[in-house]
Amino acid sequence: MKPLLLSFLALMLAIPAFSQSDEDAVKAVIESLFDGMRAKNADQIAAVFSENAIMQTIETIGETGVVKAGSVADFVKGIGSLPTEAKLDERITDYKINIDGPMATAWTPYEFYFNDQFSHCGVNSFQLVKMAEGWKIVYLIDTRRKDGCF
């Protein structure tokens, strides 16, 4: 009887090690997006976004910004159609994640490299919702600049 009880206790103590926190799950979604970009895997990229997700970027003009809209479908298609030799590498330098129930925000400064050459840096602001199938990106806006990156 003791070996059965010890096995049960060991299993109960191990379960928390296998569970993933919501913060870890949000981070995994974001990492999957950038892994998909590096692999130019359109299906992997599309899978992290909710239906009707919104993508925007801020174009800086002097000290102000102009918001430019894009579509997830165009983004996915563009990445998926790049030549195999093209290398995309968005390197996240930090994560600031906040969660309230089924809503999360993630602030992720980044550096972007194209074909191993520095292109630009900025910050991504993700809004995610925990849906039946897991965390999904519902809104993504970013800044882009070449100066003040390092």
Side-chain angles (χ1 to χ4, degrees), residues 50-104:
S50 70
E51 187 178 350
N52 303 317
I54 297 168
M55 290 187 78
Q56 297 178 319
T57 191
I58 299 171
E59 182 178 303
T60 303
I61 301 172
E63 292 185 21
T64 62
V66 175
V67 178
K68 301 286 184 173
S71 78
V72 173
D74 289 345
F75 176 71
V76 169
K77 183 178 176 183
I79 300 289
S81 65
L82 287 171
T84 55
E85 63 274 4
K87 293 181 187 176
L88 305 174
D89 187 12
E90 186 152 337
R91 301 175 188 173
I92 301 301
T93 60
D94 193 18
Y95 284 87
K96 291 183 178 76
I97 298 172
N98 295 299
I99 298 173
D100 183 35
M103 182 179 75

Side-chain angles (χ1 to χ4, degrees), residues 101-112:
M103 182 179 75
T105 65
W107 182 267
T108 62
Y110 71 90
E111 298 169 355
F112 186 81

Side-chain angles (χ1 to χ4, degrees), residues 136-147:
K136 296 290 182 176
I137 300 166
V138 296
Y139 180 60
L140 169 57
I141 189 167
D142 66 69
T143 60
R144 299 176 189 180
R145 65 182 179 282
K146 292 187 180 285
D147 299 323

